[in-house]
Amino acid sequence: MVNDVTSAFEAEDLAEAMLAAPLPRRWRHVRSVARRARWVAKELALSDDLVAAAWLHDIGYAPELVETGFHPLDGARYLRREGIDGQVVSLVAYHSCAQIEADVRGLGAELASEFSPADPVMSDALLYCDMTTGPDGEYVRPADRLVEIRGRYGPDHEVTRFVERAASEILTIAGRVEEMLPAQPR
Ligand SMILES: [Fe+2]
């Protein structure tokens, strides 16, 4: 039996149970991404799935869920095992240009064969929320977020190679979403 997570509250509970205790910094980031997603969903009249996906996007970092070490895939697989599927899971699987990082890690074919692509408008909105939220939950400009990620992982890491390959797409998407929103981000 396959369900959508229709409730952002359920998504919040699930994410809190998996991330809050073992990864408090990641949890601070996730809470702020979800808060921004609530604002973006309201401003752009998008479905609550955006908020649910924001709560769940980094759930694959939870230590007990690490399988491939690629958190979008590990997280989406976990949600599917839990009987959750549909748009929210696709958004998690492909969040913030994950298909480019999957290619860098040699997991592109696996990701594509297991999860269908996410709605592009929702996917762009989630990228905006993630890329404007720093590791401690503070607002950051997307370009600065990419600099921070590179610095955090160091020059040889797969995440850094991903960021280098995806930077222009990430900045283009984030800029496109930003143009649709009021000037003062929340
Ligand atoms: Fe993520």
Side-chain angles (χ1 to χ4, degrees), residues 103-176:
D103 289 338
V104 168
R105 291 171 178 262
L107 292 167
E110 252 171 280
L111 183 69
S113 70
E114 291 181 36
F115 297 97
S116 45
D119 173 81
V121 174
M122 296 280 279
S123 183
D124 288 2
L126 181 57
L127 177 147
Y128 170 82
C129 297
D130 192 16
M131 288 297 154
T132 55
T133 304
D136 290 302
E138 72 285 16
Y139 174 80
V140 290
R141 291 184 314 133
D144 294 335
R145 171 102 159 103
L146 297 182
V147 170
E148 183 279 319
I149 293 171
R150 281 196 200 102
R152 184 153 39 100
Y153 286 92
D156 299 323
H157 199 278
E158 285 159 324
V159 173
T160 301
R161 282 195 282 133
F162 151 65
V163 163
E164 278 158 7
R165 208 188 276 191
S168 73
E169 190 172 339
I170 288 172
L171 296 177
T172 300
I173 293 169
R176 199 159 64 214

Side-chain angles (χ1 to χ4, degrees), residues 26 29 57-58 61 71-72 95-96 130:
R26 181 65 59 181
H29 163 78
H57 78 285
D58 277 349
Y61 280 117
H71 76 278
H95 78 266
S96 302
D130 192 16

Side-chain angles (χ1 to χ4, degrees), residues 5-180:
V5 172
T6 47
S7 156
F9 296 109
E10 287 169 19
E12 178 180 354
D13 287 348
L14 194 54
E16 183 171 20
M18 286 292 172
L19 295 174
L23 298 173
R25 195 179 193 210
R26 181 65 59 181
W27 178 235
R28 279 200 293 283
H29 163 78
V30 166
R31 286 169 60 188
S32 292
V33 173
R35 189 177 60 235
R36 187 152 294 119
R38 261 197 304 273
W39 172 67
V40 169
K42 185 164 160 267
E43 292 292 340
L44 303 183
L46 298 173
S47 121
D48 227 26
D49 285 353
L50 179 68
V51 183
W55 280 118
L56 296 169
H57 78 285
D58 277 349
I59 201 165
Y61 280 117
E64 64 188 278
L65 302 185
V66 174
E67 190 183 321
T68 66
F70 177 48
H71 76 278
L73 183 58
D74 292 346
R77 282 176 173 172
Y78 164 71
L79 296 172
R80 183 171 274 170
R81 283 198 302 275
E82 288 296 295
I84 299 160
D85 214 327
Q87 161 139 272
V88 171
V89 178
S90 287
L91 285 167
V92 171
Y94 290 99
H95 78 266
S96 302
C97 293
Q99 74 284 356
I100 298 177
E101 187 173 346
D103 289 338
V104 168
R105 291 171 178 262
L107 292 167
E110 252 171 280
L111 183 69
S113 70
E114 291 181 36
F115 297 97
S116 45
D119 173 81
V121 174
M122 296 280 279
S123 183
D124 288 2
L126 181 57
L127 177 147
Y128 170 82
C129 297
D130 192 16
M131 288 297 154
T132 55
T133 304
D136 290 302
E138 72 285 16
Y139 174 80
V140 290
R141 291 184 314 133
D144 294 335
R145 171 102 159 103
L146 297 182
V147 170
E148 183 279 319
I149 293 171
R150 281 196 200 102
R152 184 153 39 100
Y153 286 92
D156 299 323
H157 199 278
E158 285 159 324
V159 173
T160 301
R161 282 195 282 133
F162 151 65
V163 163
E164 278 158 7
R165 208 188 276 191
S168 73
E169 190 172 339
I170 288 172
L171 296 177
T172 300
I173 293 169
R176 199 159 64 214
V177 175
E178 194 162 49
E179 276 178 18
M180 296 188 282

